[in-house]
Amino acid sequence: MDFGYLAPYGLEWLNLLVRWLHIIAGIAWIGASFYFVWLDNSIRPPAPDSELAKKGVAGELWAVHGGGFYNPQKYLVAPGELPKELHWFKWEAYTTWLSGFALLVIVYYLNARAMMVDRSVADLSSAQAVGIGLGSLVVGWIVYDLLCRSPLGNRPLVFGVVIWLFLVASSWVLTQLLSGRAAYLHVGAMIGTMMVANVAMLIIPGQRKMVNAMLAGQKPDPVHGIKAKQRSVHNNYFTLPVLFIMISNHYAMTYNHPDAWVVLGAIMLAGVLIRHFFNLRHKGRIEWKYPAAGVAVLLVLSVLLAPNAPARVEAAPLASGEAARFAQVRTIMDQRCVSCHAAQPTQPGFAAPPAGVMLDSPELVSQHAARIYQQTVQLKAMPLANLTHMTDAERAQVGAWFEAGAHTGAGR
């Protein structure tokens, strides 16, 4: 018996499980990053002649959580004696990246024709689109690492501006080659790759060298801690942009905009400004100008992204009577939308209707009228990559049907 028809269903389950793992691991990794940056910014140096200072403690703090008291201490370089148990923070990062890359393969690379290629942007083959996606991860890390090792790495503000400009430029390049949502996801994957490579290639190896020096009875070289701290701080500032990109595929108004790369650059900037406020706050500095600037960027962006009235395109004359007008739109839905948005999609690569939206009955078309209007007329985000070749005239017909009263229930 041929069970090939179950392949999309199996991929859907794999997507669910890997996405769940990705979220869990991401929470653990980002939570650890937030905690340790907070801890580093919140510790206070001990009194100069205290026992802690004599032990080489650079700072400490007291905290209460879950009914217990905690007293974390940070050493200038390392304690005089290596403890028997030493906890490492690495698997959260590795698991987040591995599960995220697996999602790229499952959702995008195995269905590149639908998820990555938009022939109105660039006429690519699936293999070319996947190659561009993979190449962006490699190039992103190489450029970022070289910038860190350059003199710019010692100038945090200038470095931050340069890496932001690099990410904005990368966004522009990817939006000229891939579909908007695939471009956004690959910018996020670039940043995620930078973050995990920081852990795997700088932070953990540096910590191992410090531990090995102590085991050999030598004094650890503090340069390893300095480099690790630099990359750890970078990871902290990357988190809010990455979190937005992780959810960006739900918001076509951003990635489907003609200047999607500008939109992404603005949102990344807002995230960094807001994150900077919290990092300063942990040091005891309250600088409201940073979150105010971040929120202002988002407010301005929300105004600029507000949809204009759809351009009027000559459509086929609307039939007279509500039932006849609805029949015209229902025909368009059947031809252009139902291959994906049905209880059992016929479009290759889809085991379930995207976002759970089904349009294979008159009742469901009327129920989702507002969403259909937004996605097909205002944003032109659907059909995905216009796989089914919906025409501007058909979009105009859908718009006329909605504006005639479909959203009030009168269109059926």
Side-chain angles (χ1 to χ4, degrees):
M1 183 179 291
D2 181 13
F3 290 100
Y5 70 95
L6 289 175
Y9 177 72
L11 281 176
E12 193 78 3
W13 265 101
L14 191 60
N15 182 346
L16 184 157
L17 296 174
V18 174
R19 191 178 299 271
W20 195 5
L21 173 63
H22 185 56
I23 292 172
I24 293 168
I27 290 171
W29 184 17
I30 292 173
S33 171
F34 282 7
Y35 172 73
F36 278 104
V37 169
W38 169 84
L39 181 64
D40 208 50
N41 288 334
S42 301
I43 57 174
R44 299 293 179 262
D49 297 324
S50 65
E51 288 299 317
L52 290 178
K54 294 176 183 178
K55 287 169 56 181
V57 173
E60 68 162 346
L61 64 78
W62 283 90
V64 61
H65 180 75
F69 291 88
Y70 297 83
N71 180 213
Q73 299 173 354
K74 180 181 179 178
Y75 285 78
L76 284 169
V77 178
E81 181 180 345
L82 193 67
K84 291 183 179 180
E85 286 191 28
L86 190 61
H87 295 279
W88 298 75
F89 292 84
K90 56 183 179 178
W91 291 111
E92 301 91 341
Y94 299 161
T95 304
T96 301
W97 189 87
L98 289 170
S99 58
F101 184 76
L103 273 178
L104 270 182
V105 174
I106 295 166
V107 178
Y108 286 86
Y109 295 169
L110 293 181
N111 195 16
R113 177 174 173 270
M115 302 300 294
M116 297 183 70
V117 176
D118 184 344
R119 287 189 164 80
S120 68
V121 174
D123 190 7
L124 301 174
S125 67
S126 294
Q128 289 172 325
V130 172
I132 290 167
L134 291 172
S136 69
L137 309 188
V138 176
V139 171
W141 162 250
I142 292 173
V143 172
Y144 164 75
D145 188 53
L146 290 175
L147 288 172
C148 286
R149 297 174 188 273
S150 75
L152 284 177
N154 298 320
R155 303 177 63 188
L157 178 59
V158 178
F159 176 86
V161 172
V162 170
I163 199 65
W164 176 75
L165 290 173
F166 168 69
L167 290 172
V168 172
S170 300
S171 304
W172 178 82
V173 171
L174 288 171
T175 55
Q176 307 307 302
L177 297 170
L178 305 177
S179 68
R181 62 191 296 173
Y184 270 35
L185 262 293
H186 278 85
V187 174
M190 280 176 58
I191 300 173
T193 300
M194 295 172 191
M195 293 172 70
V196 77
N198 279 340
V199 175
M201 301 179 72
L202 271 298
I203 296 173
I204 295 299
Q207 291 173 347
R208 289 195 184 281
K209 288 176 183 177
M210 296 176 73
V211 169
N212 291 338
M214 292 190 66
L215 291 174
Q218 303 169 354
K219 184 177 180 180
D221 188 343
V223 72
H224 301 304
I226 294 170
K227 289 181 179 179
K229 173 71 180 298
Q230 176 202 45
R231 302 300 180 104
S232 180
V233 170
H234 292 175
N235 282 2
N236 181 263
Y237 280 101
F238 283 145
T239 50
L240 295 191
V242 166
L243 285 172
F244 163 72
I245 292 170
M246 285 174 66
I247 63 171
S248 65
N249 64 316
H250 294 287
Y251 304 100
M253 63 184 178
T254 59
Y255 66 75
N256 210 50
H257 191 273
D259 295 315
W261 61 281
V262 177
V263 175
L264 182 56
I267 293 175
M268 289 192 294
L269 176 61
V272 169
L273 289 169
I274 292 168
R275 186 66 230 158
H276 188 57
F277 165 77
F278 285 100
N279 288 341
L280 291 178
R281 184 174 178 274
H282 301 329
K283 293 180 179 181
R285 291 173 53 191
I286 306 297
E287 299 277 0
W288 288 108
K289 61 186 178 183
Y290 293 108
V295 171
V297 169
L298 296 176
L299 286 174
V300 170
L301 195 60
S302 69
V303 172
L304 294 177
L305 292 183
N308 298 318
R312 290 298 171 189
V313 176
E314 187 174 346
L318 280 175
S320 60
E322 294 172 4
R325 286 198 298 270
F326 180 78
Q328 286 180 315
V329 170
R330 176 72 195 283
T331 299
I332 294 171
M333 295 296 103
D334 288 345
Q335 292 176 345
R336 309 302 187 193
C337 306
V338 171
S339 58
C340 292
H341 290 282
Q344 295 183 326
T346 57
Q347 178 66 38
F350 292 88
V357 176
M358 293 184 288
L359 304 174
D360 48 356
S361 75
E363 293 75 20
L364 290 171
V365 171
S366 291
Q367 176 184 332
H368 296 293
R371 196 164 187 173
I372 292 169
Y373 178 74
Q374 180 195 45
Q375 296 293 321
T376 63
V377 181
Q378 290 184 317
L379 298 175
K380 295 188 177 180
M382 292 291 165
L384 193 64
N386 206 15
L387 282 170
T388 55
H389 310 292
M390 179 181 278
T391 66
D392 287 341
E394 289 171 332
R395 295 182 194 277
Q397 276 191 300
V398 173
W401 163 72
F402 178 81
E403 292 161 7
H407 58 298
T408 65
R412 211 185 340 158

